Amino acid sequence: GNSVTQMEGPVTLSEEAFLTINCTYTATGYPSLFWYVQYPGEGLQLLLKATKADDKGSNKGFEATYRKETTSFHLEKGSVQVSDSAVYFCALSPSGGANNLFFGTGTRLTVIP
Amino acid sequence: KAGVTQTPRYLIKTRGQQVTLSCSPISGHRSVSWYQQTPGQGLQFLFEYFSETQRNKGNFPGRFSGRQFSNSRSEMNVSTLELGDSALYLCASSLTGTANTEAFFGQGTRLTVV
């Protein structure tokens, strides 16, 4: 079956610290992988995605690389800001599209000045 | 352009009642997906509609149903509400829902069952 296992939170970091949020997946076939972010009181926003093995998705200083051999898609950012405080969700799509997403449990990140 | 609009934003219902939630996708988007978000189960896929037809379905009981209209607006209905149905219900729209299309999420409808 399809599932996503995500690093438990919450995560609290000081501004300019390095961020890693681990994500591993189980899937049949060749899924696309996504990171979504949810700011307080808002819906989910796509942060980045990768559609095939070894692809690197990147946006707003965040990066994640699709690793088929380790079935992982870890989110990283070199220097976090207070404005990055949010809940981050790793997700996969078996069909590669956006219409049937399997999500991880979410990781709440708080960045303190 | 306008984003995905979900109405109402908040609802309180009593056990045994039924409820209908509405989602207006971004103009031109034909795929609408629904998700349930709870603290215990996280985000779970309910179903997806494309061109007025249910194209994908998650693992939820038949009390959860939906439909899509010719203008792509979608509704989901939950009958015989249970306390465990209390959740944030999110709707997402995309152009076609297929590969290389992005899903845009609404702010959700928070349903409380008492």
Side-chain angles (χ1 to χ4, degrees):
Chain A
N2 298 293
S3 67
V4 175
T5 301
Q6 194 174 334
M7 172 177 159
E8 292 286 333
V11 174
T12 302
L13 295 173
S14 296
E15 206 164 22
E16 299 184 2
F18 184 85
L19 168 71
T20 300
I21 301 177
N22 290 336
C23 171
T24 56
Y25 68 90
T26 302
T28 52
Y30 304 96
S32 291
L33 301 174
F34 305 82
W35 277 100
Y36 281 85
V37 59
Q38 187 174 34
Y39 297 103
E42 298 185 18
L44 277 72
Q45 300 175 24
L46 178 64
L47 181 60
L48 53 84
K49 69 177 184 181
T51 57
K52 61 183 187 299
D54 300 324
D55 265 3
K56 177 187 283 189
S58 61
N59 186 26
K60 299 181 182 179
F62 290 89
E63 292 183 340
T65 301
Y66 189 143
R67 301 283 188 203
K68 196 168 190 299
E69 63 275 14
T70 54
T71 61
S72 65
F73 193 55
H74 305 319
L75 182 68
E76 296 182 335
K77 186 175 186 182
S79 176
V80 294
Q81 306 300 312
V82 172
S83 57
D84 294 327
S85 298
V87 182
Y88 292 82
F89 293 89
C90 184
L92 74 81
S93 170
S95 63
N99 57 336
N100 179 5
L101 295 165
F102 291 80
F103 285 90
T105 52
T107 301
R108 181 176 299 279
L109 169 67
T110 302
V111 181
I112 54 177
Chain B
K1 58 182 176 182
V4 178
T5 304
Q6 292 188 246
T7 56
R9 290 292 309 278
Y10 301 92
L11 266 178
I12 300 176
K13 290 287 187 179
T14 304
R15 267 182 305 175
Q17 287 186 312
Q18 73 164 11
V19 67
T20 300
L21 312 181
S22 178
C23 172
S24 293
I26 292 172
S27 178
H29 285 195
R30 296 164 62 194
S31 168
V32 174
S33 297
W34 288 89
Y35 294 85
Q36 181 196 65
Q37 185 177 20
T38 60
Q41 300 297 319
L43 273 155
Q44 294 183 285
F45 172 72
L46 280 153
F47 31 65
E48 182 227 0
Y49 284 86
F50 179 78
S51 291
E52 302 179 63
T53 301
Q54 188 180 87
R55 184 162 65 175
N56 287 288
K57 189 176 189 307
N59 190 25
F60 277 80
R63 299 185 298 108
F64 292 81
S65 62
R67 60 178 175 169
Q68 186 179 34
F69 302 94
S70 59
N71 62 357
S72 294
R73 188 177 71 85
S74 177
E75 291 181 345
M76 69 163 280
N77 185 276
V78 188
S79 63
T80 320
L81 283 165
E82 301 176 359
L83 295 179
D85 297 333
S86 295
L88 180 67
Y89 290 88
L90 292 169
C91 160
S93 80
S94 63
L95 273 170
T96 62
T98 52
N100 298 317
T101 60
E102 180 179 342
F104 293 83
F105 284 80
Q107 290 185 287
T109 294
R110 184 163 296 281
L111 172 65
T112 302
V113 182
V114 298

